[in-house]
């Protein structure tokens, strides 16, 4: 299943409550490439789950190789899972909406610096 595409959160909870143990998988490389190619003129920041805990980061790096817009795709290893990962994404969006340049946003991600809550 793809989260929120062919299964709702309520359906997921129902399956878990029925006694099933969820497992996960990284996104298919073809889907990652498709998303990269959808936005050939945009800068893309792909914040991935922790390298070493998932193959997502390495797959995302490999997916951009050879694409015409590869120089516009920035793959970040969040070094986290779940909640902290979501926080990085939310704070990155705040920084983009606050008007920070791509370089400033990437620098904050690399240093683990996020907004001060006033953005």
């Amino acid at each position: 299943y793809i989260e929120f595409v062919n299964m709702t959160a309520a359906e997921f909870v129902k399956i878990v409550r029925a006694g099933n143990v969820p497992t996960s998988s990284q996104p298919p490389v073809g889907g990652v490439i498709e998303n990269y190619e959808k936005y050939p003129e945009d800068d893309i920041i792909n914040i991935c789950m922790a390298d070493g805990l998932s193959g997502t980061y390495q797959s995302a790096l490999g997916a951009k190789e050879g694409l015409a817009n590869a120089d516009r795709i920035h793959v970040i290893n969040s070094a986290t899972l779940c909640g902290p990962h979501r926080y990085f994404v939310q704070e990155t969006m705040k920084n983009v909406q606050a008007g920070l340049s791509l370089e400033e946003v990437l620098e904050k991600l690399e240093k683990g610096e996020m907004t001060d809550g006033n953005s």
Side-chain angles (χ1 to χ4, degrees):
Y1 300 102
I2 299 174
E3 184 178 17
F4 303 119
V5 172
N6 53 11
M7 176 183 278
T8 66
E11 290 168 325
F12 176 78
V13 170
K14 183 178 177 182
I15 290 170
V16 171
R17 286 187 176 155
N20 295 292
V21 177
T23 59
S24 64
S25 176
Q26 67 187 36
V29 173
V32 175
I33 292 171
E34 182 180 311
N35 280 313
Y36 286 166
E37 290 178 330
K38 254 190 233 184
Y39 307 97
E41 302 301 318
D42 295 327
D43 289 304
I44 298 169
I45 300 173
N46 182 352
I47 304 172
C48 298
M49 294 175 68
D51 187 25
L53 298 175
S54 170
T56 304
Y57 175 72
Q58 291 299 327
S59 292
L61 286 174
K64 80 177 208 170
E65 288 183 26
L67 296 180
N69 61 333
D71 61 326
R72 300 186 76 102
I73 300 169
H74 310 276
V75 181
I76 306 296
N77 177 6
S78 72
T80 66
L81 296 173
C82 301
H85 183 246
R86 181 178 179 155
Y87 175 76
F88 276 136
V89 172
Q90 290 171 327
E91 291 299 303
T92 297
M93 291 304 302
K94 286 180 187 177
N95 286 323
V96 168
Q97 292 166 351
L100 273 66
S101 70
L102 173 65
E103 291 75 21
E104 291 170 317
V105 171
L106 292 173
E107 183 178 337
K108 285 183 174 290
L109 275 168
E110 291 295 332
K111 290 181 177 179
E113 298 174 1
M114 296 295 119
T115 62
D116 61 5
N118 296 320
S119 302

PDB file of all heavy atoms in Angstrom, residues 12-35:
ATOM      1  N   PHE A  12      -5.752   1.766   7.873  1.00  0.00           N
ATOM      2  CA  PHE A  12      -4.513   1.246   8.443  1.00  0.00           C
ATOM      3  C   PHE A  12      -4.715   0.860   9.905  1.00  0.00           C
ATOM      4  O   PHE A  12      -4.344  -0.233  10.336  1.00  0.00           O
ATOM      5  CB  PHE A  12      -3.388   2.268   8.304  1.00  0.00           C
ATOM      6  CG  PHE A  12      -2.106   1.844   8.960  1.00  0.00           C
ATOM      7  CD1 PHE A  12      -1.284   0.921   8.342  1.00  0.00           C
ATOM      8  CD2 PHE A  12      -1.722   2.368  10.177  1.00  0.00           C
ATOM      9  CE1 PHE A  12      -0.095   0.519   8.940  1.00  0.00           C
ATOM     10  CE2 PHE A  12      -0.543   1.976  10.791  1.00  0.00           C
ATOM     11  CZ  PHE A  12       0.276   1.040  10.169  1.00  0.00           C
ATOM     12  N   VAL A  13      -5.320   1.746  10.678  1.00  0.00           N
ATOM     13  CA  VAL A  13      -5.563   1.480  12.101  1.00  0.00           C
ATOM     14  C   VAL A  13      -6.454   0.252  12.261  1.00  0.00           C
ATOM     15  O   VAL A  13      -6.213  -0.591  13.135  1.00  0.00           O
ATOM     16  CB  VAL A  13      -6.166   2.722  12.800  1.00  0.00           C
ATOM     17  CG1 VAL A  13      -6.656   2.389  14.195  1.00  0.00           C
ATOM     18  CG2 VAL A  13      -5.146   3.852  12.832  1.00  0.00           C
ATOM     19  N   LYS A  14      -7.455   0.123  11.421  1.00  0.00           N
ATOM     20  CA  LYS A  14      -8.362  -1.035  11.486  1.00  0.00           C
ATOM     21  C   LYS A  14      -7.590  -2.337  11.262  1.00  0.00           C
ATOM     22  O   LYS A  14      -7.799  -3.322  11.976  1.00  0.00           O
ATOM     23  CB  LYS A  14      -9.468  -0.877  10.439  1.00  0.00           C
ATOM     24  CG  LYS A  14     -10.494  -1.980  10.462  1.00  0.00           C
ATOM     25  CD  LYS A  14     -11.581  -1.715   9.437  1.00  0.00           C
ATOM     26  CE  LYS A  14     -12.582  -2.864   9.420  1.00  0.00           C
ATOM     27  NZ  LYS A  14     -13.614  -2.655   8.395  1.00  0.00           N
ATOM     28  N   ILE A  15      -6.694  -2.344  10.313  1.00  0.00           N
ATOM     29  CA  ILE A  15      -5.894  -3.541  10.020  1.00  0.00           C
ATOM     30  C   ILE A  15      -4.986  -3.881  11.203  1.00  0.00           C
ATOM     31  O   ILE A  15      -4.857  -5.046  11.583  1.00  0.00           O
ATOM     32  CB  ILE A  15      -5.081  -3.335   8.722  1.00  0.00           C
ATOM     33  CG1 ILE A  15      -6.028  -3.316   7.518  1.00  0.00           C
ATOM     34  CG2 ILE A  15      -4.019  -4.414   8.557  1.00  0.00           C
ATOM     35  CD1 ILE A  15      -5.379  -2.888   6.215  1.00  0.00           C
ATOM     36  N   VAL A  16      -4.359  -2.864  11.799  1.00  0.00           N
ATOM     37  CA  VAL A  16      -3.476  -3.084  12.948  1.00  0.00           C
ATOM     38  C   VAL A  16      -4.281  -3.600  14.135  1.00  0.00           C
ATOM     39  O   VAL A  16      -3.862  -4.533  14.823  1.00  0.00           O
ATOM     40  CB  VAL A  16      -2.701  -1.802  13.300  1.00  0.00           C
ATOM     41  CG1 VAL A  16      -1.953  -1.945  14.618  1.00  0.00           C
ATOM     42  CG2 VAL A  16      -1.736  -1.432  12.179  1.00  0.00           C
ATOM     43  N   ARG A  17      -5.436  -3.002  14.383  1.00  0.00           N
ATOM     44  CA  ARG A  17      -6.284  -3.443  15.504  1.00  0.00           C
ATOM     45  C   ARG A  17      -6.790  -4.865  15.317  1.00  0.00           C
ATOM     46  O   ARG A  17      -7.121  -5.541  16.289  1.00  0.00           O
ATOM     47  CB  ARG A  17      -7.448  -2.473  15.694  1.00  0.00           C
ATOM     48  CG  ARG A  17      -6.998  -1.176  16.320  1.00  0.00           C
ATOM     49  CD  ARG A  17      -8.158  -0.285  16.657  1.00  0.00           C
ATOM     50  NE  ARG A  17      -7.669   0.907  17.334  1.00  0.00           N
ATOM     51  CZ  ARG A  17      -8.292   2.061  17.343  1.00  0.00           C
ATOM     52  NH1 ARG A  17      -9.460   2.196  16.731  1.00  0.00           N
ATOM     53  NH2 ARG A  17      -7.772   3.100  17.972  1.00  0.00           N
ATOM     54  N   ALA A  18      -6.830  -5.327  14.077  1.00  0.00           N
ATOM     55  CA  ALA A  18      -7.250  -6.700  13.794  1.00  0.00           C
ATOM     56  C   ALA A  18      -6.123  -7.688  14.083  1.00  0.00           C
ATOM     57  O   ALA A  18      -6.302  -8.895  13.923  1.00  0.00           O
ATOM     58  CB  ALA A  18      -7.706  -6.818  12.342  1.00  0.00           C
ATOM     59  N   GLY A  19      -4.966  -7.168  14.519  1.00  0.00           N
ATOM     60  CA  GLY A  19      -3.870  -8.041  14.908  1.00  0.00           C
ATOM     61  C   GLY A  19      -2.737  -8.149  13.915  1.00  0.00           C
ATOM     62  O   GLY A  19      -1.774  -8.878  14.139  1.00  0.00           O
ATOM     63  N   ASN A  20      -2.821  -7.433  12.831  1.00  0.00           N
ATOM     64  CA  ASN A  20      -1.753  -7.473  11.840  1.00  0.00           C
ATOM     65  C   ASN A  20      -0.610  -6.543  12.246  1.00  0.00           C
ATOM     66  O   ASN A  20      -0.840  -5.452  12.758  1.00  0.00           O
ATOM     67  CB  ASN A  20      -2.286  -7.060  10.467  1.00  0.00           C
ATOM     68  CG  ASN A  20      -3.300  -8.055   9.960  1.00  0.00           C
ATOM     69  OD1 ASN A  20      -2.966  -9.186   9.651  1.00  0.00           O
ATOM     70  ND2 ASN A  20      -4.552  -7.644   9.900  1.00  0.00           N
ATOM     71  N   VAL A  21       0.598  -6.975  12.008  1.00  0.00           N
ATOM     72  CA  VAL A  21       1.779  -6.175  12.319  1.00  0.00           C
ATOM     73  C   VAL A  21       2.242  -5.498  11.023  1.00  0.00           C
ATOM     74  O   VAL A  21       2.545  -6.180  10.044  1.00  0.00           O
ATOM     75  CB  VAL A  21       2.914  -7.048  12.898  1.00  0.00           C
ATOM     76  CG1 VAL A  21       4.158  -6.215  13.144  1.00  0.00           C
ATOM     77  CG2 VAL A  21       2.444  -7.746  14.167  1.00  0.00           C
ATOM     78  N   PRO A  22       2.293  -4.174  11.018  1.00  0.00           N
ATOM     79  CA  PRO A  22       2.688  -3.480   9.788  1.00  0.00           C
ATOM     80  C   PRO A  22       4.175  -3.636   9.504  1.00  0.00           C
ATOM     81  O   PRO A  22       4.993  -3.755  10.409  1.00  0.00           O
ATOM     82  CB  PRO A  22       2.334  -2.023  10.073  1.00  0.00           C
ATOM     83  CG  PRO A  22       2.341  -1.899  11.546  1.00  0.00           C
ATOM     84  CD  PRO A  22       1.961  -3.241  12.092  1.00  0.00           C
ATOM     85  N   THR A  23       4.499  -3.651   8.250  1.00  0.00           N
ATOM     86  CA  THR A  23       5.879  -3.600   7.791  1.00  0.00           C
ATOM     87  C   THR A  23       5.971  -2.453   6.802  1.00  0.00           C
ATOM     88  O   THR A  23       4.952  -1.928   6.344  1.00  0.00           O
ATOM     89  CB  THR A  23       6.307  -4.916   7.104  1.00  0.00           C
ATOM     90  OG1 THR A  23       5.446  -5.153   5.989  1.00  0.00           O
ATOM     91  CG2 THR A  23       6.232  -6.089   8.073  1.00  0.00           C
ATOM     92  N   SER A  24       7.178  -2.059   6.489  1.00  0.00           N
ATOM     93  CA  SER A  24       7.323  -0.951   5.546  1.00  0.00           C
ATOM     94  C   SER A  24       8.356  -1.292   4.487  1.00  0.00           C
ATOM     95  O   SER A  24       9.111  -2.260   4.623  1.00  0.00           O
ATOM     96  CB  SER A  24       7.734   0.327   6.280  1.00  0.00           C
ATOM     97  OG  SER A  24       9.012   0.156   6.857  1.00  0.00           O
ATOM     98  N   SER A  25       8.365  -0.497   3.467  1.00  0.00           N
ATOM     99  CA  SER A  25       9.322  -0.655   2.384  1.00  0.00           C
ATOM    100  C   SER A  25       9.659   0.730   1.866  1.00  0.00           C
ATOM    101  O   SER A  25       8.857   1.667   1.987  1.00  0.00           O
ATOM    102  CB  SER A  25       8.697  -1.494   1.272  1.00  0.00           C
ATOM    103  OG  SER A  25       9.569  -1.583   0.180  1.00  0.00           O
ATOM    104  N   GLN A  26      10.828   0.859   1.301  1.00  0.00           N
ATOM    105  CA  GLN A  26      11.183   2.145   0.714  1.00  0.00           C
ATOM    106  C   GLN A  26      10.369   2.374  -0.552  1.00  0.00           C
ATOM    107  O   GLN A  26       9.876   1.421  -1.152  1.00  0.00           O
ATOM    108  CB  GLN A  26      12.671   2.202   0.423  1.00  0.00           C
ATOM    109  CG  GLN A  26      13.135   1.251  -0.652  1.00  0.00           C
ATOM    110  CD  GLN A  26      14.645   1.242  -0.757  1.00  0.00           C
ATOM    111  OE1 GLN A  26      15.344   1.358   0.226  1.00  0.00           O
ATOM    112  NE2 GLN A  26      15.144   1.094  -1.950  1.00  0.00           N
ATOM    113  N   PRO A  27      10.232   3.638  -0.959  1.00  0.00           N
ATOM    114  CA  PRO A  27       9.486   3.916  -2.185  1.00  0.00           C
ATOM    115  C   PRO A  27      10.157   3.252  -3.389  1.00  0.00           C
ATOM    116  O   PRO A  27      11.384   3.170  -3.444  1.00  0.00           O
ATOM    117  CB  PRO A  27       9.565   5.440  -2.318  1.00  0.00           C
ATOM    118  CG  PRO A  27       9.963   5.939  -0.981  1.00  0.00           C
ATOM    119  CD  PRO A  27      10.730   4.844  -0.320  1.00  0.00           C
ATOM    120  N   PRO A  28       9.371   2.788  -4.350  1.00  0.00           N
ATOM    121  CA  PRO A  28       9.973   2.205  -5.545  1.00  0.00           C
ATOM    122  C   PRO A  28      10.787   3.255  -6.300  1.00  0.00           C
ATOM    123  O   PRO A  28      10.364   4.403  -6.442  1.00  0.00           O
ATOM    124  CB  PRO A  28       8.790   1.733  -6.381  1.00  0.00           C
ATOM    125  CG  PRO A  28       7.555   2.142  -5.666  1.00  0.00           C
ATOM    126  CD  PRO A  28       7.923   2.780  -4.380  1.00  0.00           C
ATOM    127  N   VAL A  29      11.967   2.874  -6.769  1.00  0.00           N
ATOM    128  CA  VAL A  29      12.856   3.809  -7.458  1.00  0.00           C
ATOM    129  C   VAL A  29      12.147   4.446  -8.651  1.00  0.00           C
ATOM    130  O   VAL A  29      12.303   5.639  -8.907  1.00  0.00           O
ATOM    131  CB  VAL A  29      14.160   3.111  -7.893  1.00  0.00           C
ATOM    132  CG1 VAL A  29      15.010   4.027  -8.742  1.00  0.00           C
ATOM    133  CG2 VAL A  29      14.946   2.652  -6.676  1.00  0.00           C
ATOM    134  N   GLY A  30      11.348   3.674  -9.361  1.00  0.00           N
ATOM    135  CA  GLY A  30      10.623   4.218 -10.511  1.00  0.00           C
ATOM    136  C   GLY A  30       9.699   5.356 -10.120  1.00  0.00           C
ATOM    137  O   GLY A  30       9.579   6.354 -10.843  1.00  0.00           O
ATOM    138  N   GLY A  31       9.062   5.237  -8.954  1.00  0.00           N
ATOM    139  CA  GLY A  31       8.198   6.307  -8.464  1.00  0.00           C
ATOM    140  C   GLY A  31       8.980   7.543  -8.081  1.00  0.00           C
ATOM    141  O   GLY A  31       8.523   8.677  -8.296  1.00  0.00           O
ATOM    142  N   VAL A  32      10.164   7.344  -7.517  1.00  0.00           N
ATOM    143  CA  VAL A  32      11.019   8.477  -7.154  1.00  0.00           C
ATOM    144  C   VAL A  32      11.464   9.206  -8.422  1.00  0.00           C
ATOM    145  O   VAL A  32      11.385  10.436  -8.511  1.00  0.00           O
ATOM    146  CB  VAL A  32      12.233   8.012  -6.317  1.00  0.00           C
ATOM    147  CG1 VAL A  32      13.180   9.170  -6.038  1.00  0.00           C
ATOM    148  CG2 VAL A  32      11.775   7.365  -5.016  1.00  0.00           C
ATOM    149  N   ILE A  33      11.913   8.445  -9.423  1.00  0.00           N
ATOM    150  CA  ILE A  33      12.331   9.046 -10.695  1.00  0.00           C
ATOM    151  C   ILE A  33      11.166   9.810 -11.320  1.00  0.00           C
ATOM    152  O   ILE A  33      11.333  10.935 -11.797  1.00  0.00           O
ATOM    153  CB  ILE A  33      12.872   7.966 -11.656  1.00  0.00           C
ATOM    154  CG1 ILE A  33      14.190   7.413 -11.126  1.00  0.00           C
ATOM    155  CG2 ILE A  33      13.029   8.522 -13.073  1.00  0.00           C
ATOM    156  CD1 ILE A  33      14.702   6.188 -11.871  1.00  0.00           C
ATOM    157  N   GLU A  34       9.987   9.214 -11.297  1.00  0.00           N
ATOM    158  CA  GLU A  34       8.792   9.864 -11.862  1.00  0.00           C
ATOM    159  C   GLU A  34       8.539  11.210 -11.186  1.00  0.00           C
ATOM    160  O   GLU A  34       8.247  12.209 -11.851  1.00  0.00           O
ATOM    161  CB  GLU A  34       7.589   8.943 -11.693  1.00  0.00           C
ATOM    162  CG  GLU A  34       6.298   9.470 -12.283  1.00  0.00           C
ATOM    163  CD  GLU A  34       5.159   8.484 -12.066  1.00  0.00           C
ATOM    164  OE1 GLU A  34       5.331   7.288 -12.359  1.00  0.00           O
ATOM    165  OE2 GLU A  34       4.098   8.937 -11.595  1.00  0.00           O
ATOM    166  N   ASN A  35       8.667  11.247  -9.863  1.00  0.00           N
ATOM    167  CA  ASN A  35       8.465  12.507  -9.145  1.00  0.00           C
ATOM    168  C   ASN A  35       9.557  13.518  -9.469  1.00  0.00           C
ATOM    169  O   ASN A  35       9.285  14.711  -9.613  1.00  0.00           O
ATOM    170  CB  ASN A  35       8.386  12.262  -7.642  1.00  0.00           C
ATOM    171  CG  ASN A  35       7.018  11.761  -7.242  1.00  0.00           C
ATOM    172  OD1 ASN A  35       6.001  12.306  -7.651  1.00  0.00           O
ATOM    173  ND2 ASN A  35       6.983  10.711  -6.444  1.00  0.00           N
TER     174      ASN A  35
END
